[in-house]
Amino acid sequence: MSAYDEVKKGSLKIKGGSISIKKKKKKSKSSKEKLEKALFDSSEHNYQELEKTEAERKFEEIKRQRQMERVAKAATKSHKDRVAEFNNKLEMLSEHHDIPKVGPG
């Protein structure tokens, strides 16, 4: 005999009678409405591009340049170089950071 033989199965009952709660159904948008919304958003995005100040445009340009520099720097190293650099970093750490052995051995 299991300890769970006497357990009642099924959904929980709310005290106070049979009050049924109806879930609201979400209305799906037609593809036409989705297309119109996408076109409206893209036109709004173009409008915002025109409103940017000189400082905002300069900031975004510098941001793009820095990102390109990071990508170029990461692309110059091979996988072998990255692994060697990581191993050197691990060798410099103290034994405190070593993973303790678990189990017999």
Side-chain angles (χ1 to χ4, degrees):
M1 277 214 141
S2 174
Y4 296 106
D5 288 340
E6 299 176 13
V7 175
K8 291 184 180 179
K9 296 180 182 177
S11 62
L12 297 174
K13 306 295 182 197
I14 299 175
K15 291 184 178 180
S18 60
I19 301 172
S20 60
I21 300 172
K22 295 181 182 179
K23 293 183 179 179
K24 294 182 181 179
K25 293 183 180 180
K26 294 182 180 179
K27 295 181 181 178
S28 62
K29 294 183 179 180
S30 67
S31 60
K32 184 179 177 183
E33 291 176 1
K34 290 179 184 178
L35 180 62
E36 288 175 0
K37 185 176 181 182
L39 289 174
F40 179 72
D41 289 343
S42 65
S43 65
E44 185 177 306
H45 179 67
N46 291 338
Y47 183 69
Q48 288 177 351
E49 287 286 329
L50 298 175
E51 290 183 354
K52 290 186 180 178
T53 64
E54 182 66 30
E56 288 173 329
R57 280 184 249 130
K58 190 173 183 181
F59 169 76
E60 287 183 358
E61 180 63 30
I62 292 171
K63 188 177 176 182
R64 275 190 226 108
Q65 288 176 354
R66 288 181 181 159
Q67 184 178 11
M68 294 300 290
E69 288 173 4
R70 269 187 267 136
V71 169
K73 183 179 177 184
T76 58
K77 288 186 181 179
S78 67
H79 181 265
K80 187 176 182 180
D81 295 336
R82 285 192 211 108
V83 169
E85 184 179 319
F86 183 67
N87 286 336
N88 288 336
K89 180 180 175 185
L90 290 178
E91 287 176 5
M92 295 301 219
L93 294 175
S94 65
E95 291 182 18
H96 173 74
H97 296 287
D98 286 347
I99 299 171
K101 292 183 180 177
V102 178

